[in-house]
Amino acid sequence: MTQEIYLTGITTTGTPHIGNYVGAIRPSIRASKDPEKKNYYFLADFHALAKNEDPDNISQSTLEIAAAWMALGMDTDNSVFYRQSDIPEIPELTWILTSMTAKGLMNRAHSYKAAVQSNVEGGNKDPDKGITMALYSYPILMAADILMFKATQVPVGRDQKQHVEMARDIAQRFNHHYGDVLVLPEPVIDDHTAVLAGLDGRKMSKSYNNTIPLFAPEKPLRKLIMKIKTNSLEPGEPKDIAGSTLYDIYKAFATPEETAAVEKQYADGIAWGAMKQQLFEYINDKIGPAREEYERLMAEPAIVEAELLKGAARAREVAVPYMEQIRKAIGIRKLG
Ligand code: TRP
């Protein structure tokens, strides 16, 4: 059996928040330490570009995300941790794959279709208004990320499943033409990872502007937690854990015993203000040590840069010779 290779990318937009932490960062960090598994994690800064971010945002977000993953204990020796734009073979492979990807396949991408639909619904004459080629071809760049490292398993959120399936389709078509060169990946969707609600009760997401940054300093952290939406039940009235954002966040961090204790407090009618204070203290304690390390790294970006370059060198040990093989297969060859 071929070795399982896990690979996942993180788009470098925004500041890591506690929803990212419980949904993606925490499970990835755990997996990064597993000696049985080959894991690749990378910062998808070319993907961030497709979202039209401004330059300072992209580099700031790259630093914040890398520092956060490192501060939380990502094992960068056992796994490979790098930045997409440090691997020139990725854009090269993207072009090669672009040459053999059916335009019709890209037309079907949910993200592209959603952008068109929002133009149409907004009454725009041009359904493609504001849509860049990067947004349109986004799944091809993502396919190159995946295929470049022969990934077999790609852990992603549900919204990215189609993209991984497209990578598979593209690889299949390539192999059909050029022989068995690319490895077909599979999406891995973990239905057990928690999806947290944000301050307003909707899914915590940068696009809703309702997030709690993972490493918010103590004061802002407290302030944000105090803003979390609750209902109007008075102190002393029993409260339902179902649909309570405070409870869900607590549970995502706590042990089963601690969670059971909070369930009892709900039944006993804990005041919302008291629950908020308790949640703040709990998270502040848990995050404290990693936050210190994060702040140290943020103040010394050269440490983070060196770590990413180390990862890139290791990633290219795979990408460079593989690219040679891919070039040969498609007829981009030395002439003599
Ligand atoms: N598109 C992914 C997202 O926004 C990030 C990503 C880029 C990715 N390349 C990838 C994920 C390759 C998995 C594999 O979430």
Side-chain angles (χ1 to χ4, degrees):
M1 205 190 106
T2 50
Q3 194 202 2
E4 288 189 345
I5 297 178
Y6 286 74
L7 175 141
T8 201
I10 312 102
T11 307
T12 54
T13 49
T15 296
H17 57 70
I18 63 174
N20 300 141
Y21 174 66
V22 304
I25 308 177
R26 188 170 57 187
S28 297
I29 291 196
R30 210 169 284 151
S32 79
K33 299 177 180 157
D34 184 343
E36 307 285 304
K37 285 191 185 133
K38 182 87 194 156
N39 274 297
Y40 290 89
Y41 301 98
F42 68 96
L43 302 159
D45 51 351
F46 281 145
H47 276 104
L49 205 53
K51 306 202 167 162
N52 249 320
E53 289 277 320
D54 82 73
D56 292 339
N57 276 355
I58 291 189
S59 66
Q60 177 67 14
S61 174
T62 302
L63 174 60
E64 287 178 2
I65 295 173
W69 287 61
M70 285 166 62
L72 290 160
M74 142 101 7
D75 186 335
T76 58
D77 294 317
N78 186 51
S79 63
V80 188
F81 184 55
Y82 58 99
R83 174 172 47 200
Q84 184 184 37
S85 60
D86 286 332
I87 317 293
E89 290 73 24
I90 292 175
E92 183 175 350
L93 182 56
T94 301
W95 184 254
I96 293 169
L97 299 177
T98 301
S99 312
M100 62 204 54
T101 299
K103 176 173 175 289
L105 184 68
M106 293 300 100
N107 289 341
R108 289 197 288 279
H110 300 316
S111 46
Y112 168 65
K113 285 197 339 197
V116 169
Q117 198 189 342
S118 115
N119 277 334
V120 171
E121 281 168 5
N124 266 304
K125 271 200 237 73
D126 179 5
D128 280 326
K129 183 164 194 277
I131 299 176
T132 59
M133 283 307 294
L135 175 77
Y136 187 66
S137 310
Y138 187 102
I140 310 179
L141 176 57
M142 192 160 152
D145 291 331
I146 296 169
L147 301 173
M148 188 80 262
F149 297 99
K150 305 183 191 177
T152 55
Q153 260 52 46
V154 184
V156 282
R158 201 156 277 292
D159 63 319
Q160 298 293 317
K161 182 167 178 260
Q162 187 198 30
H163 293 154
V164 182
E165 287 163 354
M166 287 179 160
R168 194 182 169 88
D169 287 350
I170 294 170
Q172 231 153 7
R173 183 156 164 156
F174 182 105
N175 286 353
H176 184 73
H177 277 275
Y178 299 111
D180 232 354
V181 177
L182 301 177
V183 174
L184 307 189
E186 263 175 48
V188 179
I189 315 270
D190 184 353
D191 283 318
H192 300 290
T193 55
V195 176
L196 289 188
L199 301 176
D200 57 359
R202 290 187 292 173
K203 179 184 177 214
M204 189 179 292
S205 158
K206 184 180 101 85
S207 38
Y208 294 147
N209 205 7
N210 64 354
T211 67
I212 300 176
L214 178 58
F215 293 127
E218 210 167 305
K219 269 196 188 149
L221 177 64
R222 183 167 188 283
K223 224 170 144 182
L224 285 169
I225 289 178
M226 292 298 155
K227 277 199 198 156
I228 295 173
K229 200 172 145 210
T230 58
N231 58 28
S232 55
L233 290 176
E234 299 287 336
E237 289 186 74
K239 296 173 175 65
D240 217 342
I241 53 169
S244 165
T245 302
L246 289 173
Y247 171 80
D248 289 342
I249 296 177
Y250 195 96
K251 184 172 181 222
F253 283 84
T255 64
E257 295 74 33
E258 290 164 334
T259 307
V262 167
E263 284 169 15
K264 175 145 190 335
Q265 289 178 299
Y266 268 61
D268 291 345
I270 186 172
W272 288 131
M275 182 58 208
K276 286 178 174 179
Q277 180 64 26
Q278 181 171 319
L279 178 64
F280 159 68
E281 283 169 13
Y282 191 83
I283 291 193
N284 194 46
D285 274 4
K286 279 256 149 133
I287 288 299
R291 182 170 53 204
E292 258 178 50
E293 175 62 4
Y294 175 77
E295 281 164 3
R296 182 182 80 89
L297 293 171
M298 288 302 289
E300 284 198 69
I303 299 177
V304 179
E305 180 66 27
E307 195 67 46
L308 292 177
L309 292 182
K310 177 187 99 178
R314 288 177 59 211
R316 292 193 75 212
E317 282 170 21
V318 174
V320 172
Y322 193 31
M323 187 48 89
E324 274 297 302
Q325 193 192 334
I326 294 169
R327 280 171 158 248
K328 269 209 193 95
I330 61 174
I332 306 278
R333 300 174 186 148
K334 294 258 185 305
L335 297 178

